[in-house]
Amino acid sequence: MIAKLENLLKEAFSDLSRADTREKAAQVKTRYIGRKGEIASFLKELGGLPAGERKAAGEAINQAKDAIEKEAERLLSSFDEREKAARLTTDRVDVTLPGRRAPLGKRHPVTQVMDSVEAIFSGLGFDIAEGPEVELDYYNFEALNLPKDHPARDMQDTFYINEEVLLRTHTSAVQPRVMEVERPPLRVIAPGTVYRRDSDITHTPMFHQVEGFMVDRGVRFSDLKGILTQFLHELFGEDTGIRFRPSFFPFTEPSAEVDIRCVICSGSGCRVCKGSGWLEILGAGMIHPEVFRTVKYDPEEYTGFAFGLGIERIAMLKFGIDDLRLFFENDIRFLRQF
Ligand code: PHE
């Protein structure tokens, strides 16, 4: 039996040495030391041996089994190593390469201007308020001293939903909304979307405004000038020329329109400022006593100013864009530039 075992061992080792793939090596291993393998049949024969020989034979079988197993494992793991090495050279990963960057979105130019306007007025102590875009005729017109038959309603082409409900034509509608629920002193800006029946290269049916108003005892026109000058200097630069022109709004008295020196030609006259050297940038004025009476503020006690500015107009000037409609086409090539 010992001699038979030695032969088996030799055979096993030579079979293993000829196994040239992992699969063949595994087959050889099973053939010799698997549950129904050669070694197993030796073990079966053990019972038939004389008792005195069993122990030595058993030990010899186990040694042979261990030797085959060890060699088979060595061979299998060397196949594994080789396979791993091969894989490392073919699908090579350069761990020093920078990771793939997630593409970063950018804020829309209109949002950017909106954000900077809000930041400047927050710095000046203004709170932010909002009102609905689908608005009552009452807040958009009547409470702003524009009764139903007022000719100045024609200044703005309105989208009506019915007799009493419309799409707000200006953020001024937020003024009476805030004032009827809060008492002075007030310093508020109201950014938002407004709608007018207008469409050409300088008008879109939807655009953005920021309203601002301040109400307290003793607020004067010079306060309005001071705040707006500060704001425009922060937005367009300290050297920007500013002028106030008399104007008319039903809800302010006196009223003004505010111009800045043309940011394109610095005042010498160009296409953008139509040769005037100035650009109209906002409407403003002292809040009309009639507006105060409507919201039950005593116009003898309180005074205030209000102003409204168009965000797209400012964005056009800041970024040098000559067609308003570009803002709303959402062409990614356009938007990427800001
Ligand atoms: N609401 C006016 C407009 O849209 C602007 C404005 C606001 C004027 C506040 C005066 C005071 O044209």
Side-chain angles (χ1 to χ4, degrees):
M1 177 152 190
I2 304 288
K4 264 164 79 189
L5 257 178
E6 260 163 23
N7 268 338
L8 184 80
L9 205 55
K10 255 185 233 152
E11 243 173 73
F13 271 70
S14 90
D15 282 354
L16 282 173
S17 70
R18 267 180 285 120
D20 53 2
T21 64
R22 190 186 196 284
E23 213 190 358
K24 282 183 193 159
Q27 275 167 9
V28 173
K29 183 183 166 196
T30 319
R31 176 143 43 88
Y32 287 95
I33 61 173
R35 263 199 305 131
K36 291 178 181 156
E38 303 281 353
I39 290 288
S41 51
F42 270 92
L43 284 171
K44 261 186 222 144
E45 282 170 33
L46 260 188
L49 286 181
E53 287 172 31
R54 263 183 232 156
K55 190 172 177 249
E59 270 168 17
I61 296 172
N62 277 334
Q63 269 169 22
K65 187 187 174 200
D66 287 349
I68 297 171
E69 182 154 34
K70 218 163 142 202
E71 178 61 13
E73 286 308 322
R74 195 193 58 76
L75 199 60
L76 287 173
S77 66
S78 86
F79 279 122
D80 289 346
E81 284 301 317
R82 242 177 287 165
E83 197 188 309
K84 200 157 103 190
R87 221 182 317 125
L88 280 180
T89 47
T90 51
D91 31 276
R92 195 184 291 163
V93 176
D94 184 348
V95 292
T96 64
L97 280 176
R100 221 169 274 155
R101 247 172 241 272
L104 265 193
K106 290 187 188 149
R107 285 177 307 154
H108 192 281
V110 168
T111 312
Q112 289 181 33
V113 172
M114 198 68 124
D115 288 350
S116 31
V117 171
E118 287 177 22
I120 294 171
F121 280 109
S122 294
L124 292 168
F126 282 71
D127 296 325
I128 296 181
E130 272 180 73
E133 290 166 31
V134 179
E135 185 53 287
L136 294 174
D137 181 282
Y138 177 76
Y139 292 108
N140 196 81
F141 290 131
E142 244 161 293
L144 290 169
N145 198 27
L146 275 139
K148 285 250 156 61
D149 56 357
H150 199 291
R153 284 194 176 207
D154 295 343
M155 285 165 79
Q156 303 173 355
D157 272 316
T158 309
F159 288 110
Y160 278 94
I161 289 166
N162 59 40
E163 285 269 305
E164 298 303 330
V165 183
L166 44 76
L167 297 184
R168 69 176 174 196
T169 59
H170 52 183
T171 45
S172 298
V174 182
Q175 284 185 45
R177 277 193 174 273
V178 170
M179 289 193 273
E180 74 178 10
V181 293
E182 280 179 50
R183 304 292 304 170
L186 285 180
R187 257 187 298 187
V188 174
I189 57 165
T193 309
V194 300
Y195 302 85
R196 292 182 199 177
R197 302 184 44 156
D198 242 340
S199 194
D200 58 43
I201 64 164
T202 53
H203 296 89
T204 48
M206 183 278 298
F207 61 101
H208 299 82
Q209 285 190 329
V210 173
E211 193 78 7
F213 50 99
M214 172 170 173
V215 185
D216 201 353
R217 293 189 181 89
V219 175
R220 298 172 300 172
F221 198 90
S222 53
D223 296 312
L224 171 63
K225 281 188 87 170
I227 290 276
L228 289 182
T229 303
Q230 173 72 22
F231 162 68
L232 292 171
H233 280 169
E234 280 192 47
L235 195 64
F236 288 105
E238 291 291 331
D239 305 328
T240 312
I242 296 168
R243 74 176 183 187
F244 286 69
R245 264 182 304 111
S247 185
F248 171 80
F249 299 101
F251 36 93
T252 47
E253 182 58 35
S255 302
E257 275 172 322
V258 184
D259 300 340
I260 59 170
R261 265 293 179 200
C262 181
V263 292
I264 311 291
C265 66
S266 317
S268 54
C270 67
R271 205 168 50 91
V272 175
C273 60
K274 301 197 183 81
S276 73
W278 293 95
L279 297 162
E280 187 198 318
I281 208 88
L282 47 82
M286 299 306 289
I287 297 174
H288 199 289
E290 205 52 53
V291 174
F292 282 154
R293 274 191 281 272
T294 304
V295 297
K296 306 201 166 58
Y297 287 4
D298 180 357
E300 297 298 323
E301 187 179 357
Y302 294 112
T303 51
F305 64 73
F307 58 87
L309 53 100
I311 294 296
E312 281 80 358
R313 172 127 180 101
I314 291 176
M316 287 173 86
L317 297 174
K318 270 191 87 85
F319 297 120
I321 295 157
D322 58 6
D323 187 341
L324 184 62
R325 291 170 297 197
L326 286 168
F327 286 133
F328 304 111
E329 281 166 2
N330 289 331
D331 185 329
I332 199 78
R333 293 164 303 178
F334 170 77
L335 295 173
R336 276 216 179 104
Q337 298 171 53
F338 306 99

